[in-house]
Amino acid sequence: MATETQWNALLQRHATITISACGRVITGDLYNLTDSQVILIVHNKDGLFEVIERSDIVDMSW
């Protein structure tokens, strides 16, 4: 799992990351972070944004 420093570096670059959470795998550009959520821009999704609870994240790569 990413440290806060890594999260911040990824956010500054709006890096493309892949997150496994709640039995789903989501790939998108990191848009924003809160203490409890990760917000991705998912280009092939109708709603464009995917909000994921940080506590639900099982694995991630970037």
Side-chain angles (χ1 to χ4, degrees):
M1 197 55 53
T3 65
E4 286 304 310
T5 302
Q6 289 170 320
W7 276 119
N8 289 331
L10 292 167
L11 180 59
Q12 286 177 347
R13 295 184 295 135
H14 295 288
T16 299
I17 62 175
T18 300
I19 292 177
S20 298
C22 297
R24 301 182 316 151
V25 177
I26 305 124
T27 299
D29 297 334
L30 186 57
Y31 177 73
N32 205 355
L33 294 169
T34 69
D35 289 339
S36 62
Q37 297 177 327
V38 174
I39 303 159
L40 301 179
I41 297 174
V42 181
H43 297 285
N44 59 350
K45 183 177 185 253
D46 288 339
L48 189 62
F49 293 100
E50 186 75 37
V51 179
I52 304 159
E53 293 294 322
R54 285 175 111 172
S55 61
D56 291 343
I57 297 173
V58 176
D59 191 28
M60 65 180 280
S61 60
W62 60 90

